[in-house]
Amino acid sequence: MRFDVVTLFPDMLQGLFAEGVVGRALQSDDLTLNCVNPRDFTSDVHRTVDDTRYGGGAGMLMKAPPLAQAVQSLPRRPGSRVIYLSPQGKPLTQHKVRQLAQQEQLILVCGRYEGVDQRFIDHYVDEEISIGDYVISGGELAAGVVIDSVARCIPGVVGQVQSVVEDSFFEGLLDAPHYTRPAQFEGEAVPDVLASGHHEKIEDWREQQALERTWQQRPDLLEECRLGTGQRRLLRDLLEQENL
Ligand SMILES: Nc1nonc1C(=O)NC1CCNCC1
């Protein structure tokens, strides 16, 4: 997988991945991160990348030509996609992350100011993606979220494939609670089942906890995920306990 990031702040992305499991993987041959700065594709003395909006309105907009030339400057692999990070995009979900991980190359365009000229989006962008319904200062943090979450899905990046499988959302549910030493913390012990060494009971407990947490925190996820027979039975028991 090759990540290309179109950004006015290339050092920001390099800094974000200087450490950690994804940072180490990005040094390998099968996972690369390249940044390209639209400012390098300007021709005026001030290297202008933004301008005021036609029709008025506060703030500045990123101009289409520098962005377009930055994208055009990139070598394109078969199966590459140009993604613009913006609040107007489709939500980034684990399902979408897994789809993106199938690509050979992701070109991530980071907006600044009030956004970018719509014609750049119409002519160059395959897909707009949002990391959430809030506004951040620049698309770079959103690009970092996409890079990290997609890279974790690429075999070999995260040492323990099982740890990715058990990640929250991997099967559409939230994660069960986890505990480690010490056995007692501020008077609270670890749930007995986890110290029982009975792996089947531990798995059942974790599955029940994941369902209960998902039902309490994110019932919307339950409508979308395909529950197995055992999970549906556990959820039915849960709802009966709550007299629902
Ligand atoms: N939420 C978001 N998901 O992706 N990008 C998001 C975002 O807030 N971008 C900012 C929008 C205003 N201009 C600067 C960038």
Side-chain angles (χ1 to χ4, degrees), residues 9-20 23 26 33 35:
F9 302 100
D11 293 347
M12 195 170 172
L13 264 296
Q14 301 295 353
L16 207 54
F17 293 108
E19 309 285 340
L26 287 172
L33 169 62
C35 292

Side-chain angles (χ1 to χ4, degrees), residues 92-239:
L92 181 68
T93 63
Q94 192 63 30
H95 179 67
K96 171 58 72 180
V97 165
R98 284 203 293 272
Q99 280 182 338
L100 295 175
Q102 305 304 313
Q103 303 293 139
E104 285 297 313
Q105 175 185 23
L106 294 177
I107 298 174
L108 305 174
V109 180
C110 303
R112 282 270 158 175
Y113 315 109
E114 298 309 307
V116 307
D117 187 306
Q118 185 61 39
R119 290 166 295 179
F120 168 76
I121 298 171
D122 297 340
H123 295 190
Y124 288 87
V125 172
D126 296 309
E127 191 171 2
E128 277 187 81
I129 289 179
S130 169
I131 60 167
D133 294 335
Y134 41 79
V135 179
I136 52 180
S137 305
E140 287 78 10
L141 286 181
V145 168
V146 171
I147 292 169
D148 190 283
S149 56
V150 168
R152 291 175 57 82
C153 289
I154 295 171
V157 169
V158 178
Q160 301 294 324
V161 174
Q162 190 60 15
S163 68
V164 176
V165 169
E166 290 175 359
D167 270 355
S168 286
F169 294 102
F170 190 83
E171 293 181 342
L173 296 177
L174 298 185
D175 211 356
H178 297 299
Y179 301 83
T180 186
R181 282 182 283 272
Q184 290 280 343
F185 175 67
E186 295 182 350
E188 184 178 353
V190 171
D192 291 339
V193 66
L194 297 180
S196 70
H198 195 299
H199 295 295
E200 192 176 331
K201 283 186 178 174
I202 291 170
E203 283 315 303
D204 287 348
W205 181 84
R206 283 176 171 160
E207 189 164 270
Q208 190 266 340
Q209 290 290 312
L211 271 169
E212 188 167 331
R213 256 184 174 187
T214 307
W215 178 67
Q216 287 168 343
Q217 306 276 81
R218 291 290 306 276
D220 57 300
L221 294 178
L222 288 174
E223 290 154 25
E224 291 158 27
C225 72
R226 288 189 299 278
L227 297 177
T229 312
Q231 288 173 316
R232 282 198 300 273
R233 176 175 42 76
L234 281 170
L235 186 58
R236 217 172 19 250
D237 296 348
L238 185 63
L239 297 176

